[in-house]
Amino acid sequence: MTDFNKAKLLKLAVLTSLVGLGCADNASLVDAKFSSPSALVVAGPDNNRLFVANAGSGSLQVLRLEDKLEEMTFEESQLVYFPLEIPLGNEKGYPSHLAASKDGAYVLVLDSANASIHLIDAATLEKEQGEGVYKLREILEAPAGSPVSPASLVSGRQECGSGCLGEFYVSFKETGTLVGLRLAEAGAQGPSLSKFTTATIPGSPGELAVAPGQTKLFAADASEALLYQFALTDGELELTATIPMGAVAGSLSVSGDGQFLVAARPQLLDVIVFRLDDPSG
């Protein structure tokens, strides 16, 4: 099974079965359950781990992937019979989005409640950079008291120059901005996360999606029935189209071949599909 098919299958099937899996009898693990799962991403040295964000407990849990869904098992902790749980820190957080570097080496966790990003080593399952927390206010150099409320997080390019471990994008509804973040090697102190580009639009960018090949980024307006298309040139953002949606869009996803964009419209309880070579649909 390819990495893409594995990821897409899990996004479709696992979100509908996580609670059932967590509550199922398991002879080897006890207390193997989730707490309001909010996001998931596939990563690891061989893209063989599924990271699940628990919004209810502010933590991550990890499953080992096999060829069949029913063969998935929890990564175990040092406590015998208990599954591994990665806490996000002392503050009560809300892990709303997960993103992985393209090589699967790192997982970034967007904590919307505390406007921060946590970095997890997908091989060791440990947090990086001291406590592994990057405060978005500090990265953006935002003035004290100004709104810093991240709405979404997606991964971008992996091939982004010497020492670069990957690029990522975060949207901010209140300020109408999208920010590109670059994860880079920084010696013994661990990787660093820094801003490298910013784009501002008149709307309120919410959920994001990046096309395979990292040539296009899409942002759903959180308040208006609009979809924004950006060209990605060397990671830089350029707004190229504003597309009417008929209703406010929620989650976005691009097909693995890059031909289709699927956008959920929660108010209408439907989805709309766009051909990417014809943004009008």
Side-chain angles (χ1 to χ4, degrees), residues 28-91:
S28 60
L29 292 176
V30 297
D31 200 33
K33 61 184 179 181
F34 297 94
S35 178
S36 300
S38 54
L40 53 85
V41 72
V42 173
D46 299 308
N47 282 313
N48 60 350
R49 285 172 165 165
L50 176 67
F51 291 76
V52 181
N54 284 320
S57 60
S59 65
L60 300 186
Q61 284 180 282
V62 187
L63 295 106
R64 292 189 297 272
L65 298 179
E66 305 294 344
D67 288 335
K68 297 180 180 179
L69 284 176
E70 61 267 23
E71 295 176 352
M72 290 191 303
T73 54
F74 283 90
E75 291 285 358
E76 298 181 22
S77 69
Q78 295 181 348
L79 296 175
V80 180
Y81 303 124
F82 283 84
L84 174 70
E85 191 165 1
I86 306 172
L88 296 185
N90 296 326
E91 296 178 300

Tab-separated table of all heavy atoms in Angstrom, residues 28-91:
chain	number	residue	atom	x	y	z
A	28	SER	N	-3.578	-6.983	25.331
A	28	SER	CA	-2.244	-6.548	25.697
A	28	SER	C	-2.215	-5.153	26.300
A	28	SER	O	-1.265	-4.790	26.971
A	28	SER	CB	-1.326	-6.583	24.468
A	28	SER	OG	-1.821	-5.724	23.463
A	29	LEU	N	-3.219	-4.322	26.022
A	29	LEU	CA	-3.222	-2.960	26.521
A	29	LEU	C	-4.521	-2.659	27.246
A	29	LEU	O	-5.591	-3.079	26.826
A	29	LEU	CB	-3.054	-1.952	25.372
A	29	LEU	CG	-1.697	-1.925	24.663
A	29	LEU	CD1	-1.751	-0.959	23.497
A	29	LEU	CD2	-0.602	-1.517	25.632
A	30	VAL	N	-4.400	-1.887	28.325
A	30	VAL	CA	-5.583	-1.401	29.005
A	30	VAL	C	-5.637	0.102	28.851
A	30	VAL	O	-4.641	0.748	28.552
A	30	VAL	CB	-5.567	-1.789	30.502
A	30	VAL	CG1	-5.599	-3.290	30.660
A	30	VAL	CG2	-4.357	-1.188	31.206
A	31	ASP	N	-6.811	0.682	29.061
A	31	ASP	CA	-6.998	2.120	28.956
A	31	ASP	C	-6.605	2.649	27.575
A	31	ASP	O	-6.152	3.781	27.430
A	31	ASP	CB	-6.203	2.862	30.023
A	31	ASP	CG	-6.741	4.273	30.244
A	31	ASP	OD1	-7.959	4.478	30.119
A	31	ASP	OD2	-5.924	5.163	30.520
A	32	ALA	N	-6.736	1.806	26.533
A	32	ALA	CA	-6.389	2.210	25.176
A	32	ALA	C	-7.584	2.909	24.548
A	32	ALA	O	-8.386	2.297	23.856
A	32	ALA	CB	-5.979	0.994	24.347
A	33	LYS	N	-7.711	4.183	24.829
A	33	LYS	CA	-8.836	4.936	24.317
A	33	LYS	C	-8.397	6.342	23.962
A	33	LYS	O	-7.333	6.812	24.386
A	33	LYS	CB	-9.965	4.983	25.336
A	33	LYS	CG	-9.588	5.644	26.652
A	33	LYS	CD	-10.729	5.559	27.650
A	33	LYS	CE	-10.335	6.194	28.994
A	33	LYS	NZ	-11.429	6.084	29.980
A	34	PHE	N	-9.227	7.009	23.150
A	34	PHE	CA	-8.929	8.367	22.729
A	34	PHE	C	-9.825	9.340	23.486
A	34	PHE	O	-10.837	8.963	24.061
A	34	PHE	CB	-9.145	8.523	21.228
A	34	PHE	CG	-8.235	7.656	20.402
A	34	PHE	CD1	-8.648	6.406	19.963
A	34	PHE	CD2	-6.962	8.080	20.075
A	34	PHE	CE1	-7.817	5.602	19.212
A	34	PHE	CE2	-6.124	7.288	19.324
A	34	PHE	CZ	-6.544	6.043	18.894
A	35	SER	N	-9.421	10.604	23.464
A	35	SER	CA	-10.179	11.650	24.136
A	35	SER	C	-10.474	12.756	23.137
A	35	SER	O	-9.639	13.630	22.903
A	35	SER	CB	-9.381	12.202	25.329
A	35	SER	OG	-10.081	13.254	25.959
A	36	SER	N	-11.641	12.680	22.512
A	36	SER	CA	-12.063	13.658	21.502
A	36	SER	C	-11.002	13.830	20.420
A	36	SER	O	-10.407	14.903	20.277
A	36	SER	CB	-12.372	15.013	22.149
A	36	SER	OG	-13.395	14.903	23.103
A	37	PRO	N	-10.719	12.785	19.609
A	37	PRO	CA	-9.697	12.905	18.563
A	37	PRO	C	-10.047	14.006	17.569
A	37	PRO	O	-11.162	14.076	17.076
A	37	PRO	CB	-9.706	11.524	17.903
A	37	PRO	CG	-11.029	10.929	18.252
A	37	PRO	CD	-11.386	11.473	19.593
A	38	SER	N	-9.079	14.893	17.306
A	38	SER	CA	-9.345	16.072	16.491
A	38	SER	C	-8.564	16.116	15.192
A	38	SER	O	-8.930	16.849	14.272
A	38	SER	CB	-9.024	17.333	17.306
A	38	SER	OG	-7.699	17.268	17.808
A	39	ALA	N	-7.466	15.379	15.088
A	39	ALA	CA	-6.647	15.414	13.879
A	39	ALA	C	-5.765	14.181	13.845
A	39	ALA	O	-5.522	13.546	14.871
A	39	ALA	CB	-5.791	16.684	13.850
A	40	LEU	N	-5.280	13.846	12.653
A	40	LEU	CA	-4.363	12.725	12.526
A	40	LEU	C	-3.435	12.957	11.344
A	40	LEU	O	-3.745	13.698	10.423
A	40	LEU	CB	-5.116	11.394	12.369
A	40	LEU	CG	-6.195	11.254	11.281
A	40	LEU	CD1	-5.569	10.876	9.950
A	40	LEU	CD2	-7.214	10.209	11.683
A	41	VAL	N	-2.268	12.310	11.397
A	41	VAL	CA	-1.309	12.405	10.310
A	41	VAL	C	-0.432	11.158	10.332
A	41	VAL	O	-0.169	10.585	11.392
A	41	VAL	CB	-0.436	13.684	10.426
A	41	VAL	CG1	0.558	13.581	11.572
A	41	VAL	CG2	0.281	13.987	9.123
A	42	VAL	N	-0.007	10.728	9.146
A	42	VAL	CA	0.897	9.586	9.018
A	42	VAL	C	2.326	10.088	8.929
A	42	VAL	O	2.629	11.008	8.166
A	42	VAL	CB	0.546	8.755	7.769
A	42	VAL	CG1	1.594	7.661	7.540
A	42	VAL	CG2	-0.832	8.131	7.917
A	43	ALA	N	3.227	9.509	9.738
A	43	ALA	CA	4.636	9.897	9.730
A	43	ALA	C	5.449	8.720	10.255
A	43	ALA	O	4.948	7.604	10.386
A	43	ALA	CB	4.862	11.154	10.576
A	44	GLY	N	6.729	8.970	10.544
A	44	GLY	CA	7.614	7.928	11.026
A	44	GLY	C	8.684	7.611	10.005
A	44	GLY	O	8.587	8.010	8.838
A	45	PRO	N	9.731	6.902	10.407
A	45	PRO	CA	10.841	6.596	9.499
A	45	PRO	C	10.398	5.930	8.202
A	45	PRO	O	10.964	6.192	7.141
A	45	PRO	CB	11.720	5.664	10.338
A	45	PRO	CG	11.398	6.007	11.754
A	45	PRO	CD	9.948	6.368	11.761
A	46	ASP	N	9.396	5.077	8.269
A	46	ASP	CA	8.863	4.415	7.077
A	46	ASP	C	7.404	4.790	6.842
A	46	ASP	O	6.667	4.040	6.213
A	46	ASP	CB	8.981	2.888	7.229
A	46	ASP	CG	10.436	2.437	7.385
A	46	ASP	OD1	11.262	2.843	6.536
A	46	ASP	OD2	10.731	1.703	8.340
A	47	ASN	N	7.014	5.970	7.326
A	47	ASN	CA	5.603	6.376	7.275
A	47	ASN	C	4.700	5.262	7.791
A	47	ASN	O	3.660	4.948	7.209
A	47	ASN	CB	5.206	6.759	5.843
A	47	ASN	CG	5.706	8.149	5.479
A	47	ASN	OD1	5.549	9.090	6.245
A	47	ASN	ND2	6.321	8.275	4.318
A	48	ASN	N	5.109	4.681	8.908
A	48	ASN	CA	4.402	3.528	9.448
A	48	ASN	C	3.756	3.800	10.802
A	48	ASN	O	3.447	2.881	11.551
A	48	ASN	CB	5.358	2.341	9.583
A	48	ASN	CG	6.537	2.650	10.506
A	48	ASN	OD1	6.731	3.796	10.904
A	48	ASN	ND2	7.315	1.637	10.840
A	49	ARG	N	3.567	5.097	11.113
A	49	ARG	CA	2.933	5.450	12.372
A	49	ARG	C	1.813	6.447	12.121
A	49	ARG	O	1.965	7.374	11.326
A	49	ARG	CB	3.948	6.049	13.349
A	49	ARG	CG	4.875	5.008	13.972
A	49	ARG	CD	5.983	5.654	14.765
A	49	ARG	NE	6.648	4.671	15.628
A	49	ARG	CZ	7.812	4.859	16.221
A	49	ARG	NH1	8.443	6.018	16.060
A	49	ARG	NH2	8.344	3.931	16.979
A	50	LEU	N	0.715	6.255	12.824
A	50	LEU	CA	-0.415	7.171	12.763
A	50	LEU	C	-0.458	7.966	14.065
A	50	LEU	O	-0.624	7.393	15.138
A	50	LEU	CB	-1.726	6.402	12.579
A	50	LEU	CG	-2.998	7.264	12.585
A	50	LEU	CD1	-3.040	8.163	11.361
A	50	LEU	CD2	-4.243	6.384	12.656
A	51	PHE	N	-0.287	9.278	13.954
A	51	PHE	CA	-0.337	10.169	15.114
A	51	PHE	C	-1.748	10.734	15.225
A	51	PHE	O	-2.288	11.265	14.251
A	51	PHE	CB	0.675	11.298	14.964
A	51	PHE	CG	2.107	10.846	15.062
A	51	PHE	CD1	2.714	10.192	14.005
A	51	PHE	CD2	2.841	11.062	16.219
A	51	PHE	CE1	4.035	9.768	14.088
A	51	PHE	CE2	4.160	10.643	16.313
A	51	PHE	CZ	4.755	9.989	15.250
A	52	VAL	N	-2.334	10.625	16.410
A	52	VAL	CA	-3.701	11.075	16.653
A	52	VAL	C	-3.680	12.138	17.735
A	52	VAL	O	-3.133	11.921	18.826
A	52	VAL	CB	-4.610	9.902	17.084
A	52	VAL	CG1	-6.041	10.397	17.312
A	52	VAL	CG2	-4.585	8.786	16.044
A	53	ALA	N	-4.268	13.302	17.436
A	53	ALA	CA	-4.353	14.382	18.420
A	53	ALA	C	-5.593	14.194	19.278
A	53	ALA	O	-6.698	14.015	18.749
A	53	ALA	CB	-4.408	15.730	17.709
A	54	ASN	N	-5.413	14.222	20.579
A	54	ASN	CA	-6.522	14.126	21.528
A	54	ASN	C	-6.855	15.523	22.039
A	54	ASN	O	-6.156	16.061	22.905
A	54	ASN	CB	-6.146	13.228	22.715
A	54	ASN	CG	-6.179	11.760	22.363
A	54	ASN	OD1	-7.062	11.298	21.656
A	54	ASN	ND2	-5.197	11.017	22.832
A	55	ALA	N	-7.912	16.117	21.503
A	55	ALA	CA	-8.292	17.461	21.944
A	55	ALA	C	-8.765	17.454	23.392
A	55	ALA	O	-8.578	18.436	24.119
A	55	ALA	CB	-9.395	18.012	21.039
A	56	GLY	N	-9.367	16.365	23.810
A	56	GLY	CA	-9.901	16.300	25.167
A	56	GLY	C	-8.847	16.302	26.248
A	56	GLY	O	-9.056	16.845	27.334
A	57	SER	N	-7.679	15.707	25.970
A	57	SER	CA	-6.627	15.602	26.978
A	57	SER	C	-5.396	16.426	26.635
A	57	SER	O	-4.440	16.463	27.418
A	57	SER	CB	-6.214	14.134	27.157
A	57	SER	OG	-5.717	13.600	25.938
A	58	GLY	N	-5.389	17.086	25.473
A	58	GLY	CA	-4.233	17.877	25.081
A	58	GLY	C	-2.989	17.031	24.903
A	58	GLY	O	-1.910	17.383	25.400
A	59	SER	N	-3.115	15.917	24.191
A	59	SER	CA	-1.994	15.000	24.042
A	59	SER	C	-2.076	14.293	22.690
A	59	SER	O	-3.048	14.437	21.952
A	59	SER	CB	-2.005	13.957	25.171
A	59	SER	OG	-3.156	13.133	25.052
A	60	LEU	N	-1.029	13.518	22.380
A	60	LEU	CA	-1.008	12.681	21.181
A	60	LEU	C	-0.900	11.221	21.581
A	60	LEU	O	-0.285	10.882	22.587
A	60	LEU	CB	0.196	13.019	20.287
A	60	LEU	CG	0.361	14.411	19.713
A	60	LEU	CD1	1.535	14.421	18.752
A	60	LEU	CD2	-0.892	14.876	19.023
A	61	GLN	N	-1.516	10.380	20.757
A	61	GLN	CA	-1.280	8.943	20.849
A	61	GLN	C	-0.852	8.446	19.480
A	61	GLN	O	-1.116	9.081	18.458
A	61	GLN	CB	-2.536	8.209	21.341
A	61	GLN	CG	-2.770	8.380	22.831
A	61	GLN	CD	-4.013	7.660	23.315
A	61	GLN	OE1	-5.110	8.150	23.124
A	61	GLN	NE2	-3.833	6.517	23.947
A	62	VAL	N	-0.169	7.308	19.461
A	62	VAL	CA	0.458	6.826	18.237
A	62	VAL	C	0.098	5.362	18.029
A	62	VAL	O	0.135	4.557	18.976
A	62	VAL	CB	1.993	6.974	18.308
A	62	VAL	CG1	2.623	6.628	16.961
A	62	VAL	CG2	2.379	8.390	18.728
A	63	LEU	N	-0.244	5.043	16.776
A	63	LEU	CA	-0.524	3.661	16.417
A	63	LEU	C	0.467	3.198	15.364
A	63	LEU	O	0.875	3.975	14.492
A	63	LEU	CB	-1.945	3.505	15.870
A	63	LEU	CG	-3.080	3.796	16.838
A	63	LEU	CD1	-3.723	5.133	16.511
A	63	LEU	CD2	-4.126	2.683	16.790
A	64	ARG	N	0.864	1.944	15.445
A	64	ARG	CA	1.690	1.327	14.422
A	64	ARG	C	0.789	0.840	13.294
A	64	ARG	O	-0.187	0.129	13.536
A	64	ARG	CB	2.495	0.162	15.002
A	64	ARG	CG	3.570	0.583	15.977
A	64	ARG	CD	4.468	-0.587	16.347
A	64	ARG	NE	3.730	-1.635	17.039
A	64	ARG	CZ	3.555	-1.675	18.359
A	64	ARG	NH1	4.047	-0.702	19.116
A	64	ARG	NH2	2.887	-2.653	18.919
A	65	LEU	N	1.140	1.213	12.068
A	65	LEU	CA	0.324	0.860	10.914
A	65	LEU	C	0.754	-0.473	10.325
A	65	LEU	O	1.943	-0.790	10.245
A	65	LEU	CB	0.425	1.941	9.837
A	65	LEU	CG	-0.071	3.335	10.231
A	65	LEU	CD1	0.128	4.292	9.072
A	65	LEU	CD2	-1.519	3.290	10.659
A	66	GLU	N	-0.232	-1.230	9.906
A	66	GLU	CA	-0.010	-2.476	9.179
A	66	GLU	C	-0.805	-2.413	7.882
A	66	GLU	O	-1.434	-1.400	7.577
A	66	GLU	CB	-0.433	-3.683	10.036
A	66	GLU	CG	0.227	-3.753	11.400
A	66	GLU	CD	1.732	-3.993	11.347
A	66	GLU	OE1	2.213	-4.410	10.263
A	66	GLU	OE2	2.409	-3.757	12.354
A	67	ASP	N	-0.771	-3.483	7.105
A	67	ASP	CA	-1.472	-3.474	5.820
A	67	ASP	C	-2.986	-3.416	5.989
A	67	ASP	O	-3.699	-2.947	5.113
A	67	ASP	CB	-1.100	-4.719	5.006
A	67	ASP	CG	0.332	-4.646	4.485
A	67	ASP	OD1	0.835	-3.506	4.335
A	67	ASP	OD2	0.939	-5.697	4.249
A	68	LYS	N	-3.489	-3.896	7.126
A	68	LYS	CA	-4.933	-3.906	7.358
A	68	LYS	C	-5.248	-3.040	8.572
A	68	LYS	O	-4.497	-2.998	9.543
A	68	LYS	CB	-5.429	-5.335	7.603
A	68	LYS	CG	-5.221	-6.264	6.419
A	68	LYS	CD	-5.727	-7.669	6.729
A	68	LYS	CE	-5.516	-8.605	5.551
A	68	LYS	NZ	-5.992	-9.990	5.851
A	69	LEU	N	-6.404	-2.353	8.500
A	69	LEU	CA	-6.788	-1.472	9.595
A	69	LEU	C	-6.916	-2.217	10.914
A	69	LEU	O	-6.526	-1.710	11.965
A	69	LEU	CB	-8.113	-0.776	9.263
A	69	LEU	CG	-8.059	0.369	8.248
A	69	LEU	CD1	-9.468	0.871	7.956
A	69	LEU	CD2	-7.201	1.508	8.772
A	70	GLU	N	-7.468	-3.428	10.860
A	70	GLU	CA	-7.699	-4.163	12.102
A	70	GLU	C	-6.400	-4.638	12.749
A	70	GLU	O	-6.411	-5.104	13.895
A	70	GLU	CB	-8.624	-5.356	11.869
A	70	GLU	CG	-8.101	-6.390	10.879
A	70	GLU	CD	-8.574	-6.134	9.462
A	70	GLU	OE1	-8.928	-4.971	9.165
A	70	GLU	OE2	-8.591	-7.080	8.668
A	71	GLU	N	-5.274	-4.507	12.045
A	71	GLU	CA	-3.997	-4.928	12.600
A	71	GLU	C	-3.234	-3.785	13.256
A	71	GLU	O	-2.138	-3.989	13.775
A	71	GLU	CB	-3.133	-5.561	11.496
A	71	GLU	CG	-3.718	-6.847	10.931
A	71	GLU	CD	-2.906	-7.398	9.776
A	71	GLU	OE1	-1.970	-6.702	9.312
A	71	GLU	OE2	-3.192	-8.514	9.320
A	72	MET	N	-3.809	-2.572	13.247
A	72	MET	CA	-3.158	-1.445	13.909
A	72	MET	C	-3.044	-1.704	15.411
A	72	MET	O	-3.955	-2.256	16.023
A	72	MET	CB	-3.943	-0.152	13.687
A	72	MET	CG	-3.894	0.381	12.282
A	72	MET	SD	-4.563	2.067	12.195
A	72	MET	CE	-6.211	1.819	12.855
A	73	THR	N	-1.926	-1.290	15.985
A	73	THR	CA	-1.731	-1.448	17.419
A	73	THR	C	-1.170	-0.152	17.997
A	73	THR	O	-0.461	0.596	17.320
A	73	THR	CB	-0.757	-2.592	17.740
A	73	THR	OG1	0.468	-2.379	17.031
A	73	THR	CG2	-1.361	-3.925	17.336
A	74	PHE	N	-1.464	0.115	19.257
A	74	PHE	CA	-0.941	1.293	19.926
A	74	PHE	C	0.549	1.137	20.215
A	74	PHE	O	1.009	0.052	20.582
A	74	PHE	CB	-1.663	1.520	21.260
A	74	PHE	CG	-3.037	2.108	21.133
A	74	PHE	CD1	-4.144	1.288	21.013
A	74	PHE	CD2	-3.213	3.481	21.137
A	74	PHE	CE1	-5.408	1.816	20.902
A	74	PHE	CE2	-4.472	4.030	21.030
A	74	PHE	CZ	-5.582	3.201	20.902
A	75	GLU	N	1.295	2.232	20.069
A	75	GLU	CA	2.659	2.247	20.576
A	75	GLU	C	2.576	2.198	22.095
A	75	GLU	O	1.805	2.921	22.716
A	75	GLU	CB	3.393	3.516	20.134
A	75	GLU	CG	3.697	3.571	18.642
A	75	GLU	CD	4.850	2.655	18.251
A	75	GLU	OE1	5.440	2.014	19.151
A	75	GLU	OE2	5.151	2.581	17.051
A	76	GLU	N	3.395	1.351	22.696
A	76	GLU	CA	3.329	1.148	24.137
A	76	GLU	C	4.237	2.135	24.868
A	76	GLU	O	5.273	2.554	24.353
A	76	GLU	CB	3.712	-0.281	24.493
A	76	GLU	CG	2.769	-1.331	23.894
A	76	GLU	CD	3.175	-2.739	24.280
A	76	GLU	OE1	3.885	-2.887	25.295
A	76	GLU	OE2	2.786	-3.672	23.571
A	77	SER	N	3.845	2.478	26.069
A	77	SER	CA	4.667	3.339	26.922
A	77	SER	C	5.609	2.476	27.748
A	77	SER	O	5.615	1.243	27.643
A	77	SER	CB	3.772	4.167	27.842
A	77	SER	OG	3.153	3.328	28.809
A	78	GLN	N	6.408	3.123	28.595
A	78	GLN	CA	7.296	2.374	29.487
A	78	GLN	C	6.530	1.674	30.599
A	78	GLN	O	7.070	0.791	31.258
A	78	GLN	CB	8.353	3.312	30.077
A	78	GLN	CG	9.309	3.881	29.029
A	78	GLN	CD	10.356	4.789	29.622
A	78	GLN	OE1	10.265	5.180	30.789
A	78	GLN	NE2	11.357	5.148	28.836
A	79	LEU	N	5.284	2.100	30.798
A	79	LEU	CA	4.435	1.406	31.767
A	79	LEU	C	3.807	0.199	31.085
A	79	LEU	O	3.136	0.328	30.069
A	79	LEU	CB	3.338	2.347	32.282
A	79	LEU	CG	3.811	3.562	33.071
A	79	LEU	CD1	2.630	4.455	33.413
A	79	LEU	CD2	4.537	3.123	34.342
A	80	VAL	N	4.044	-0.952	31.633
A	80	VAL	CA	3.570	-2.187	31.013
A	80	VAL	C	2.053	-2.159	30.845
A	80	VAL	O	1.324	-1.772	31.771
A	80	VAL	CB	3.991	-3.405	31.859
A	80	VAL	CG1	3.492	-4.692	31.212
A	80	VAL	CG2	5.503	-3.437	32.005
A	81	TYR	N	1.590	-2.535	29.663
A	81	TYR	CA	0.176	-2.657	29.316
A	81	TYR	C	-0.524	-1.316	29.078
A	81	TYR	O	-1.735	-1.285	28.883
A	81	TYR	CB	-0.612	-3.445	30.376
A	81	TYR	CG	-0.059	-4.821	30.631
A	81	TYR	CD1	0.319	-5.214	31.910
A	81	TYR	CD2	0.085	-5.738	29.590
A	81	TYR	CE1	0.833	-6.480	32.151
A	81	TYR	CE2	0.603	-7.005	29.821
A	81	TYR	CZ	0.972	-7.375	31.091
A	81	TYR	OH	1.478	-8.621	31.323
A	82	PHE	N	0.209	-0.209	29.103
A	82	PHE	CA	-0.422	1.081	28.864
A	82	PHE	C	0.097	1.680	27.552
A	82	PHE	O	1.300	1.617	27.273
A	82	PHE	CB	-0.157	2.051	30.024
A	82	PHE	CG	-0.996	1.780	31.230
A	82	PHE	CD1	-0.603	0.829	32.169
A	82	PHE	CD2	-2.184	2.458	31.430
A	82	PHE	CE1	-1.383	0.572	33.287
A	82	PHE	CE2	-2.968	2.199	32.545
A	82	PHE	CZ	-2.568	1.261	33.477
A	83	PRO	N	-0.794	2.291	26.754
A	83	PRO	CA	-0.357	2.887	25.491
A	83	PRO	C	0.426	4.171	25.724
A	83	PRO	O	0.227	4.867	26.720
A	83	PRO	CB	-1.682	3.184	24.770
A	83	PRO	CG	-2.660	3.396	25.877
A	83	PRO	CD	-2.241	2.444	26.958
A	84	LEU	N	1.318	4.474	24.786
A	84	LEU	CA	2.087	5.700	24.865
A	84	LEU	C	1.173	6.904	24.685
A	84	LEU	O	0.278	6.901	23.837
A	84	LEU	CB	3.154	5.711	23.758
A	84	LEU	CG	3.965	6.998	23.623
A	84	LEU	CD1	4.907	7.150	24.816
A	84	LEU	CD2	4.751	6.991	22.320
A	85	GLU	N	1.379	7.934	25.491
A	85	GLU	CA	0.660	9.189	25.350
A	85	GLU	C	1.676	10.318	25.480
A	85	GLU	O	2.427	10.372	26.442
A	85	GLU	CB	-0.444	9.320	26.403
A	85	GLU	CG	-1.383	10.481	26.125
A	85	GLU	CD	-2.672	10.383	26.944
A	85	GLU	OE1	-2.798	9.422	27.725
A	85	GLU	OE2	-3.527	11.265	26.796
A	86	ILE	N	1.700	11.206	24.483
A	86	ILE	CA	2.670	12.301	24.448
A	86	ILE	C	1.972	13.573	24.902
A	86	ILE	O	1.165	14.145	24.157
A	86	ILE	CB	3.246	12.487	23.040
A	86	ILE	CG1	3.824	11.170	22.510
A	86	ILE	CG2	4.320	13.575	23.042
A	86	ILE	CD1	4.244	11.226	21.053
A	87	PRO	N	2.242	14.058	26.102
A	87	PRO	CA	1.588	15.293	26.572
A	87	PRO	C	2.177	16.503	25.860
A	87	PRO	O	3.360	16.518	25.499
A	87	PRO	CB	1.903	15.307	28.063
A	87	PRO	CG	3.187	14.549	28.177
A	87	PRO	CD	3.150	13.491	27.110
A	88	LEU	N	1.362	17.541	25.686
A	88	LEU	CA	1.819	18.738	24.997
A	88	LEU	C	2.332	19.811	25.944
A	88	LEU	O	2.704	20.895	25.497
A	88	LEU	CB	0.694	19.303	24.129
A	88	LEU	CG	0.245	18.391	22.980
A	88	LEU	CD1	-0.781	19.087	22.118
A	88	LEU	CD2	1.435	17.932	22.152
A	89	GLY	N	2.355	19.551	27.225
A	89	GLY	CA	2.908	20.523	28.161
A	89	GLY	C	2.013	20.746	29.349
A	89	GLY	O	0.983	20.082	29.529
A	90	ASN	N	2.408	21.693	30.189
A	90	ASN	CA	1.662	21.972	31.410
A	90	ASN	C	0.381	22.755	31.147
A	90	ASN	O	-0.596	22.644	31.881
A	90	ASN	CB	2.548	22.748	32.394
A	90	ASN	CG	3.746	21.936	32.850
A	90	ASN	OD1	3.646	20.717	32.983
A	90	ASN	ND2	4.873	22.598	33.062
A	91	GLU	N	0.389	23.604	30.085
A	91	GLU	CA	-0.798	24.373	29.767
A	91	GLU	C	-1.844	23.470	29.126
A	91	GLU	O	-1.522	22.552	28.378
A	91	GLU	CB	-0.459	25.513	28.807
A	91	GLU	CG	0.477	26.552	29.378
A	91	GLU	CD	0.802	27.623	28.354
A	91	GLU	OE1	1.349	27.274	27.303
A	91	GLU	OE2	0.496	28.792	28.616
